[in-house]
């Protein structure tokens, strides 16, 4: 299901991104492993597309995690650590329009 221009970064989307990054897998490599386009990986991680149960299983398999691992992060039992402060900041800046960027500056 596509949300198009809307972003809603859910705990599921954050968890999928974390799992990819912590394994050292680029979006390009994730796309190859999962049989998706690189932009689709970004859309899932940015909350522009909902993650179906089938797609979730595929991501977990491709990234080497179990559904149990996913459940621990989504439930908050295990917090999602910040893997790279620089990458997190760059990602947040990339989501801002020019008006918001000027305000931050």
């Amino acid at each position: 299901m596509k949300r198009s221009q809307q972003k809603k970064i859910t705990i599921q989307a954050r968890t999928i991104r974390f799992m990819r990054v912590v394994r050292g897998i680029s979006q390009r490599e994730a796309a190859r492993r999962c049989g998706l386009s690189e932009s689709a990986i970004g859309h899932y991680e940015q909350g522009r597309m909902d993650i179906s149960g089938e797609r979730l299983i595929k991501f977990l398999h491709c990234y080497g995690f179990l559904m149990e691992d996913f459940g621990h992060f989504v439930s908050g039992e295990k917090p999602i650590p910040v893997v790279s402060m620089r990458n997190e900041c760059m990602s947040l800046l990339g989501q801002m329009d020019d008006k918001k960027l000027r305000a931050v500056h």
Side-chain angles (χ1 to χ4, degrees):
M1 188 177 288
K2 192 171 180 177
R3 277 195 265 276
S4 145
Q5 298 302 315
Q6 252 184 15
K7 288 184 182 183
K8 183 178 179 187
I9 302 176
T10 63
I11 187 69
Q12 293 85 2
R14 287 186 58 227
T15 301
I16 289 300
R17 180 181 181 281
F18 164 74
M19 290 178 159
R20 177 185 60 77
V21 171
V22 79
R23 291 289 198 238
I25 301 169
S26 67
Q27 283 189 342
R28 177 174 287 155
E29 177 62 16
R32 188 191 66 74
R33 289 182 185 192
C34 296
L36 296 168
S37 68
E38 194 173 337
S39 64
I41 297 293
H43 285 313
Y44 282 113
E45 292 181 1
Q46 293 294 317
R48 288 189 170 136
M49 289 174 34
D50 291 324
I51 303 169
S52 69
E54 186 178 311
R55 180 66 61 207
L56 174 61
I57 291 168
K58 182 73 170 177
F59 281 132
L60 295 175
H61 175 75
C62 292
Y63 300 165
F65 283 93
L66 302 172
M67 185 62 83
E68 182 180 356
D69 300 320
F70 182 79
H72 290 306
F73 288 115
V74 171
S75 71
E77 186 177 324
K78 286 185 179 178
I80 300 172
V82 174
V83 178
S84 166
M85 185 65 70
R86 182 178 191 280
N87 288 347
E88 288 291 320
C89 290
M90 293 303 289
S91 175
L92 290 171
L93 287 171
Q95 295 173 32
M96 293 182 179
D97 60 25
D98 286 345
K99 185 177 179 180
K100 288 180 184 174
L101 283 172
R102 279 197 254 332
V104 170
H105 183 269

